[in-house]
Structure formats: structure tokens, C-alpha cells
Amino acid sequence: MAARPYLVDVRPARDVVPELRDRVLLHAGPPLSYPDMTGPMQGAAVGAALYEGWAETPEAAEALLASGGVDFLPCHRAGGVGPMGGITSGTMPLLFVEERTSGWTAFCTFNEGVGRVLRFGANGPEVIERLRWLRDVAGPALGSALRQGAGVDLRAIMGRALTMGDEMHQRNIAATLLLLREVAPLLARAGLPADQQASVVQFMGQTDQFFLNVAMAACKAIADAAHAAGAESSIATALCRNGVEFGVRLGATGDRWYTAPVNTPKGLYFGGYTAADGNPDIGDSAITETVGVGAFSMAAAPAVVPYVGAGGFGDAIAISNEMLEITVARNPDFAIPALDFGGAPTGIDVRLVVATGIEPIINTGIAHRQAGVGQVGAGTVRAPIACFEQAVVGLAHALR
């Protein structure tokens, strides 16, 4: 509750994660090998191999990956998070967040925008070109700007955005513009070429979900602080998915993941696609629900409810109230107007999940199950209760 995350820098991934100086890629969710990955994550890995110049063609990249020529490491193990496939390589720029109460840090890649993007498994030339622009233009510019200031207070932005219709997972329009309001003067003072400054401002302003990746890094830093302090705690400190398994982690049991087969999201599909196209749920973005935003704050974002096919405004309030039954507190810094300014449901207690049978709900994008297609819809998904049942048993053993 006392966490104070600040966005302080943008750094090349290999400077933050030494393992990424070799042929290593980070991925979302619990540990997973390349042959076991589903299409979107494999497609993103192929794209990363092309982007890093490890292969000249998609076919050569697939052969390299299938032969074990690239090692994989979960984002969480490296101290960060990644959206959807979560594939992160050494030269990608990382948003770097510092949690100033505990001193923990966390990172996340940039949001690439909409359409055919790496995080959903697309890997065509336009995807690689955008990644290079983020590496060569946006990343260095935003890093230079942030180093001009004392850091951007993300708790303040998130708290205000919740009163402006965002829930920080599927809707980040207000938070993105609030961040841009803080960053634009820093960009102006960074001594950048005018065209570079203008292009970064335009990209941030037109990328509605830009703040999602910032929020993910902020939530990761908050959750890791709770993880380190939770030696005897039943509070979940990470929820994540790799397209095959859903994973839950507790501070009381260290780096152990409690896993179960992941569910496929239910929601609305874009034109031309159906539920048969949807990949099982994937990504580290459930770190937002872990700390009480995202679907847990659905009542703050009525516009999101029809987008994810979850009903109407009454359903949004019902979802947030339901999540109060499995959480231990309400965060006063994340007030929700529609709940009479009550705080967001915060702190998922694995014992309450098992006792009530209420599975945490997560807002999510839906990736096509085939590599290279991209996003085909948006919806909600429930965390499988088996993860929480295992966590309760693991906690009991840890406390003996």
C-alpha cells in the first residue's frame, strides 16, 4: 500500500539483464521451452531472432530456435514483465521503474501500438522496422528526457487515471496522456532534434495503450516489494500465463510457481475471427490484477466492459465487488468513483480464493493461435483455482 513507483529511465535490455548479452530471450509466464510454446510466443521469438540479426529469414530463425540455439528465461526471473508473448531481446529498450519505498526496480518493453505487433506473435518486415525505430529513436529520446527530471510519479498518474475511466489493463487512454503531460517538457529540455522529439510525442499521444507497459513495470516493482516482505504471507505476488500454464507465486515460497492449465479468454472477436482462432491466455500483464487494477478495478472503466464482452456497467460494479471477496484490503490511493470512492480491491489472498471458490478475473487481449497473425479480439479470463489450491498447500508446508 505504501509503494511509490517512479518511471526513471529507458535502458537497453542487455544493460539491465546481463543474460541478454548472449543468445537469450525472455518470455512471459512460468518457465517454458521453445517446443512447448504456442503460436504467438513462437512467432514473437522468430521476430526477435530476425530483429537481433541472428537469422536472415523466418525459416532460418525457426530452425535456430528449434535446434536449441537460443536460451529462454522467464521475464519474472529477470526482474521484469512482458506483455502477451513477453519476448524481450538484448537490444530492445526497456522502461525502467524504481519503487522508492522498498528500493525494488522492474522493467517492461515498450508498447508497440496496435495491429501487427511482436507481442501478439507477428514478425513481418513492418514489425521489425517498428522495433528498430523504438530502439534507435523512441528509446534513446525518452531515456534522455527522463534523466532530465527526478522521475515520474506513477502512483499519482494511476490514481488519477482510475477516476478518468481507465482500469490500466485494457484501457490506458487517460494514463497515457497524463504521462505525456509529464514527459513532454522533459523531451523539450533534452536537446533532441526537433523531428525526433516530434515523432516520440506523436507516437505516445496516438498509442492508447502506451501506459499499459509502464503500469506493468510499476505493478511488478510493487509486487516484488510485497514478495520480498511476505515470508509468511498468503498474498499472491504474481499472476502470469505463458499460453500453456497459468502461474501463481507467493512470497512465502520464494521463486516456486504454482501452475495449472491456462484457460482461453471469453470475449469479442474482431471481424472475420471466431473463438476457434483464439490462443489460450498468455502474458505477464496480469501483474496489474495482482496489485488491484485491471479487471479488479472494472467499475472505474465502464467503456472497457463492452470491449471485453463482459456486459454492462452493472456487471463492471459486480466484478469489482466480487474481487473484494478474495482480497484483503482496498487501496486508498486507487479510489474508484463508482464504488463511492472506495479503494481498488488489493491483495489476493490464496486462502480466500480457495475458501470462496471465486477465481480471480483478468482483462486480456486475445492472440490468434497461429504465429504471425496478431491480435484477434479482447476478453476476460479466470485464473484456474488449482493454482491457488496448490499455493495453500505450499504455504502450509512453508510455515511448518
Side-chain angles (χ1 to χ4, degrees):
M1 289 294 188
R4 300 291 185 273
Y6 283 76
L7 179 62
V8 297
D9 205 350
V10 174
R11 299 178 184 172
R14 62 191 175 200
D15 290 355
V16 179
V17 184
E19 290 90 339
L20 292 179
R21 294 167 189 162
D22 299 319
R23 280 192 176 180
V24 175
L25 295 175
L26 305 184
H27 69 80
L32 191 68
S33 62
Y34 179 78
D36 295 328
M37 295 175 181
T38 56
M41 191 179 285
Q42 287 191 339
V46 168
L50 295 170
Y51 161 76
E52 292 292 346
W54 299 339
E56 295 295 327
T57 66
E59 293 77 16
E62 290 174 7
L64 173 68
L65 293 160
S67 69
V70 176
D71 291 329
F72 288 88
L73 184 70
C75 293
H76 272 285
R77 187 177 298 171
V81 281
M84 301 309 291
I87 295 298
T88 305
S89 65
T91 66
M92 291 181 182
L94 298 181
L95 299 154
F96 195 74
V97 170
E98 180 179 278
E99 200 288 290
R100 291 184 173 169
T101 301
S102 65
W104 284 91
T105 61
F107 63 81
C108 188
T109 51
F110 274 59
N111 191 287
E112 309 156 71
V114 297
R116 296 175 64 81
V117 291
L118 188 81
R119 67 182 184 277
F120 281 97
N123 53 37
E126 73 277 23
V127 176
I128 307 304
E129 182 179 355
R130 186 184 300 113
L131 291 175
R132 289 171 178 157
W133 180 81
L134 291 171
R135 177 193 64 194
D136 298 335
V137 178
L142 189 55
S144 295
L146 289 168
R147 291 191 289 273
Q148 301 295 311
V152 178
D153 184 348
L154 300 177
R155 184 191 64 155
I157 289 178
M158 294 170 71
R160 189 167 187 184
L162 282 172
T163 70
M164 300 168 70
D166 285 356
E167 42 71 82
M168 250 70 69
H169 195 159
Q170 282 298 318
R171 192 179 193 277
N172 283 278
I173 296 172
T176 295
L177 295 179
L178 289 170
L179 175 64
L180 182 57
R181 190 176 69 166
E182 298 295 324
V183 168
L186 300 175
L187 283 166
R189 295 204 299 266
L192 302 168
D195 59 344
Q196 184 179 13
Q197 178 183 332
S199 65
V200 174
V201 169
Q202 181 178 20
F203 176 75
M204 289 182 64
Q206 295 182 351
T207 304
D208 289 349
Q209 285 284 71
F210 185 90
F211 193 82
L212 168 60
N213 297 43
V214 181
M216 287 175 60
C219 292
K220 170 64 175 171
I222 294 170
D224 275 4
H227 189 78
E232 298 182 351
S233 175
S234 56
I235 304 301
T237 54
L239 308 181
C240 64
R241 320 77 106 196
N242 60 23
V244 178
E245 293 181 316
F246 195 104
V248 173
R249 198 173 68 158
L250 295 177
T253 54
D255 290 333
R256 179 178 176 184
W257 288 101
Y258 301 98
T259 63
V262 71
N263 295 318
T264 298
K266 297 178 180 178
L268 298 179
Y269 285 79
F270 302 157
Y273 298 103
T274 70
D277 298 308
N279 195 73
D281 198 32
I282 189 169
D284 288 334
S285 56
I287 195 70
T288 56
E289 279 80 6
T290 305
V291 301
V293 290
F296 281 46
S297 292
M298 192 85 93
V304 166
V305 191
Y307 178 66
V308 297
F313 187 40
D315 297 294
I317 293 175
I319 288 170
S320 291
N321 283 332
E322 183 186 28
M323 295 302 103
L324 284 170
E325 297 188 40
I326 58 171
T327 49
V328 297
R330 304 185 72 153
N331 188 338
D333 290 331
F334 292 165
I336 300 175
L339 298 182
D340 199 19
F341 291 93
T346 302
I348 302 168
D349 190 323
V350 297
R351 298 171 305 173
L352 292 175
V353 174
V354 174
T356 63
I358 298 173
E359 298 169 322
I361 189 169
I362 296 157
N363 287 344
T364 187
I366 304 174
H368 197 287
R369 61 174 57 248
Q370 295 179 357
V373 178
Q375 185 175 7
V376 296
T380 62
V381 68
R382 294 277 182 170
I385 198 166
C387 300
F388 300 88
E389 293 170 342
Q390 295 170 39
V392 169
V393 174
L395 177 64
H397 284 294
L399 296 181
R400 283 179 179 174

